[in-house]
Amino acid sequence: MNKILKIVFLFFTISILAGCGYSPLNSSANFNFYISDLKVDGDRQINNYISKNLKKYRSFKDNSKKIDLNINSKYRKDIVNKDSTGNAKNYKITISSNITFTLNGNEQVSKVFERYAAFSSKSKKIDEGELVIETKEKLSKLISEDIVFFIINQ
């Protein structure tokens, strides 16, 4: 009996979601702009990640806003606390991106996006270096999504 209720509930939920017109926020149909010019400055690795994530917005679309985008990214790795011998125990990585964009050659808008993550020190520095690279990539992806949502809401 319990299995039947689960199946009925699952079927009911799927039919409700299919009929309500749900569409993901990041779908390509939701944006009405394209990035015609992308200039980056600052941390090269972070800018490469952000540029890669914004690549799908570089193609021209009819009846869409033309965006000229300037990005200045900074990376900072701070020691949060140390052990009794003075070695770092925890770190905080902060990525800050100052964006300036121009809508259709007229209106200029600026905003700073900042994301951070904390992690503990690893005994092997190579593992810690790989963790820093992964964290940079994840934070850059989040900043890219923030930039797109900000542009969409302008």
Side-chain angles (χ1 to χ4, degrees):
M1 183 69 178
N2 198 12
K3 247 184 186 179
I4 294 172
L5 286 175
K6 286 182 182 178
I7 292 173
V8 169
F9 178 73
L10 182 65
F11 177 74
F12 182 72
T13 304
I14 290 173
S15 64
I16 293 292
L17 285 178
C20 73
Y22 169 79
S23 65
L25 287 176
N26 261 355
S27 73
S28 60
N30 285 343
F31 66 92
N32 62 346
F33 69 91
Y34 70 97
I35 299 172
S36 68
D37 188 22
L38 177 63
K39 295 178 184 171
V40 292
D41 193 24
D43 189 281
R44 189 179 83 225
Q45 189 177 30
I46 293 169
N47 287 332
N48 286 341
Y49 291 138
I50 292 174
S51 296
K52 182 179 80 171
N53 291 326
L54 294 177
K55 188 176 183 177
K56 69 179 178 180
Y57 302 102
R58 304 266 337 236
S59 59
F60 175 75
K61 292 177 74 175
D62 289 333
N63 300 325
S64 58
K65 298 181 217 172
K66 174 185 167 189
I67 303 286
D68 296 327
L69 184 62
N70 296 320
I71 301 174
N72 186 0
S73 298
K74 294 178 184 167
Y75 160 77
R76 196 172 69 239
K77 181 179 173 184
D78 298 321
I79 298 172
V80 176
N81 61 8
K82 298 181 180 182
D83 61 12
S84 60
T85 61
N87 295 325
K89 279 180 59 178
N90 295 314
Y91 293 100
K92 178 181 171 185
I93 291 180
T94 305
I95 294 178
S96 175
S97 291
N98 183 3
I99 68 154
T100 305
F101 64 91
T102 308
L103 292 169
N104 293 324
N106 300 332
E107 180 184 354
Q108 190 165 358
V109 181
S110 295
K111 179 144 174 86
V112 177
F113 296 97
E114 190 170 279
R115 292 287 184 147
Y116 63 89
F119 64 92
S120 58
S121 178
K122 304 292 181 197
S123 59
K124 294 182 180 179
K125 293 301 175 189
I126 193 158
D127 293 339
E128 191 172 298
E130 290 173 358
L131 183 61
V132 168
I133 291 171
E134 289 174 19
T135 304
K136 276 182 166 182
E137 186 172 8
K138 288 177 185 175
L139 293 177
S140 298
K141 183 174 189 230
L142 291 173
I143 287 177
S144 301
E145 291 171 357
D146 290 344
I147 290 170
V148 169
F149 289 139
F150 183 72
I151 292 173
I152 286 172
N153 291 321
Q154 287 298 309

